[in-house]
Amino acid sequence: MSTFFTFSTPYPIKPKPFLHRFTVKCTATPPSLPPAVNTFWKWFSDEKVVSSKSPAKPGTVTEGLGLVAQRDIARNEVVLEVPKRFWINPDTVSGSEIGRVCNGLKPWICVALFLIREKLRGEDEGSSWRKYVDVLPESTDSTIFWSEEELSEIEGTQLLSTTLSVKEYVKNEFLQVQDQVILPNKQLFPFTVTLEDFIWAFGILRSRAFSRLRGQNLVLIPLADLINHSPSITTEDYAYEIKGAGLFSREQIFSLRSPIPVKAGEQVLIQYDMNKSNAELALDYGFIESTPDRNTYTLTLQISDSDPFFDDKLDIAEANGTKEVQYFDITLGQPLPPKMLPYLRLVALGGTDAFLLESIFRNAVWDHLELPVSRDNEEVICQVVRGACQSALSSYRTTIEEVCKYKQLMR
């Protein structure tokens, strides 16, 4: 039986702390905003997107920048609305100077090239988008921006392996787009575009792009993307949507609402994603939560292609909503995923238990796998899981005993 397991750590260690995005009350005399933010706000004011009466505006907060209420805001009240002409998405790129060379590229790569080009162009050559790009940070706390020394602090975790895999993926995509798009089109990219630029754009998209919007799977919404996250908000409902600008208008607008009441001077916050684990939050945004439901470990199981019953097992797996390689998220203090044990028993089937794979049992075999098949089958499952756990833990720089001893000393 061929299986492999990967795990994520609930609390990655980092020399500089993660940002926990909680509601903060701004002081009477908050730190002044960077000039680029004031320039950006003036641009949106001149374009009639915002005004002095807007419910919220950019402010300096614990996380850096955020949206701060200028007056009391009611639950589900609209905080801001941004017309489509100010969005950055693949359509924006298609209509730009680099649109013709981006045909056929992945959507995120198109937008990444657009951001990089706007960032690297001279100030006298840039478009109005430069006012937005200048507000974007040079990096985030995401693990993709960590140094090798910092990454060594999460050695052994799934977060580390995922981070390295993501960076390798971005590198490969960069080398390909460099050869096929950037270098052959020097008139469009007259400056040097580096891997670091590409990683920057990727990180910006991971941390700021809105998804799950009607007709929009990847879109940056200037100003709205300053909204920060609060773990105390436990619903994603009604926070934002795309709607028509009016009864007689075909223009679409992005509408951002506050999911909770907010007092003047406080941050307007939303829930980023209820379904992401701490490892995913760390990779995307650079922070984690203490919420137990975020402490998820991803277990990866696989039907070996060398298994003599591979075809039968794969057929059964796919008929019951699983795959050759299947991922199961195990959350601390919660029951195991419902399909995990049946899948494990299926993968471990062999010997005298293999009769269950015969076609006569095909429609009922999954029901049989809901319960123990045999003592031998259960023993194989236990041995494999225990061995995989021990293998995963061996990758950490400390042992369980050392961690327990440390905790006792800290009491």
Side-chain angles (χ1 to χ4, degrees):
M1 167 174 150
S2 174
T3 62
F4 64 94
F5 300 76
T6 53
F7 294 87
S8 63
T9 178
Y11 296 106
I13 304 170
K14 188 182 181 187
K16 50 187 178 184
F18 281 105
L19 293 179
H20 294 265
R21 301 186 174 186
F22 301 108
T23 305
V24 293
K25 185 68 176 288
C26 297
T27 61
T29 56
S32 59
L33 288 169
V37 179
N38 291 323
T39 300
F40 168 74
W41 181 259
K42 184 179 184 304
W43 173 45
F44 260 34
S45 296
D46 293 342
E47 295 288 345
K48 310 301 181 185
V49 179
V50 296
S51 70
S52 59
K53 296 182 179 180
S54 294
K57 66 181 300 184
T60 303
V61 295
T62 303
E63 299 84 355
L65 290 176
L67 291 178
V68 177
Q70 301 304 293
R71 57 170 174 78
D72 290 353
I73 298 174
R75 179 177 178 270
N76 288 339
E77 182 178 349
V78 174
V79 176
L80 60 88
E81 293 182 330
V82 181
K84 187 176 182 178
R85 65 183 184 276
F86 297 103
W87 305 353
I88 299 178
N89 59 14
D91 291 339
T92 309
V93 182
S94 295
S96 71
E97 294 175 318
I98 64 172
R100 63 177 179 82
V101 301
C102 289
N103 290 332
L105 296 180
K106 295 181 177 68
W108 78 263
I109 293 179
C110 294
V111 178
L113 287 175
F114 181 87
L115 290 176
I116 293 169
R117 186 168 184 267
E118 291 297 328
K119 180 182 180 183
L120 298 181
R121 293 168 75 179
E123 292 187 10
D124 56 337
E125 301 174 354
S127 66
S128 296
W129 293 114
R130 181 62 180 264
K131 299 179 179 65
Y132 166 67
V133 174
D134 284 346
V135 174
L136 298 176
E138 288 298 318
S139 66
T140 71
D141 282 333
S142 164
T143 52
I144 66 172
F145 292 107
W146 287 17
S147 67
E148 290 187 10
E149 180 181 0
E150 290 171 331
L151 287 174
S152 69
E153 295 294 327
I154 56 172
E155 183 179 345
T157 68
Q158 184 190 36
L159 176 58
L160 175 60
S161 60
T162 302
T163 300
L164 295 178
S165 295
V166 166
K167 293 184 73 171
E168 183 66 20
Y169 163 74
V170 174
K171 178 182 178 181
N172 291 335
E173 293 292 340
F174 168 72
L175 293 176
Q176 185 173 344
V177 79
Q178 183 184 47
D179 290 340
Q180 297 179 359
V181 178
I182 298 174
L183 294 179
N185 295 281
K186 279 296 185 180
Q187 73 281 9
L188 295 174
F189 300 94
F191 30 72
T192 301
V193 179
T194 66
L195 174 60
E196 287 69 27
D197 294 323
F198 211 62
I199 291 176
W200 168 81
F202 179 83
I204 290 297
L205 291 174
R206 290 282 295 209
S207 64
R208 304 177 85 91
F210 288 88
S211 59
R212 302 191 308 278
L213 288 165
R214 177 166 51 92
Q216 299 288 331
N217 293 322
L218 176 68
V219 56
L220 288 170
I221 311 290
L223 185 59
D225 62 1
L226 291 179
I227 194 80
N228 284 320
H229 166 86
S230 171
S232 63
I233 297 175
T234 56
T235 177
E236 298 174 62
D237 296 340
Y238 312 116
Y240 51 85
E241 63 177 342
I242 290 178
K243 63 182 185 179
L247 184 61
F248 301 105
S249 174
R250 293 185 177 182
E251 185 176 28
Q252 291 182 312
I253 60 173
F254 174 91
S255 180
L256 177 68
R257 297 174 180 268
S258 174
I260 59 173
V262 181
K263 296 292 185 182
E266 291 182 344
Q267 263 202 87
V268 182
L269 300 160
I270 64 172
Q271 168 61 237
Y272 279 176
D273 194 325
M274 290 291 296
N275 298 317
K276 287 188 176 182
S277 67
N278 269 330
E280 291 172 312
L281 291 176
L283 181 67
D284 289 350
Y285 310 112
F287 66 84
I288 59 173
E289 291 184 5
S290 58
T291 309
D293 289 350
R294 300 284 194 183
N295 297 339
T296 297
Y297 297 79
T298 300
L299 178 66
T300 305
L301 302 175
Q302 180 179 11
I303 303 172
S304 173
D305 56 9
S306 63
D307 191 314
F309 304 107
F310 174 81
D311 291 335
D312 291 323
K313 290 182 178 181
L314 181 59
D315 183 46
I316 293 169
E318 291 179 340
N320 290 277
T322 53
K323 303 175 182 178
E324 177 184 352
V325 178
Q326 187 65 36
Y327 305 95
F328 296 98
D329 289 336
I330 302 174
T331 303
L332 185 66
Q334 293 189 7
L336 294 175
K339 292 186 177 182
M340 187 180 122
L341 286 178
Y343 188 90
L344 265 170
R345 292 176 181 132
L346 174 66
V347 173
L349 274 181
T352 57
D353 297 326
F355 74 93
L356 287 171
L357 298 172
E358 295 178 8
S359 58
I360 191 174
F361 298 109
R362 190 58 48 95
N363 294 330
V365 63
W366 195 264
D367 291 335
H368 288 292
L369 297 172
E370 296 279 359
L371 298 172
V373 174
S374 67
R375 182 182 182 88
D376 288 345
N377 185 268
E378 294 296 292
E379 284 183 350
V380 169
I381 291 172
C382 292
Q383 290 169 4
V384 169
V385 172
R386 285 175 61 88
C389 290
Q390 291 170 350
S391 176
L393 289 171
S394 68
S395 298
Y396 285 81
R397 296 195 299 176
T398 55
T399 64
I400 294 177
E401 291 75 17
E402 289 172 334
V403 172
C404 292
K405 184 177 180 180
Y406 175 78
K407 287 183 176 180
Q408 290 176 350
L409 294 174
M410 293 299 291
R411 288 177 180 173

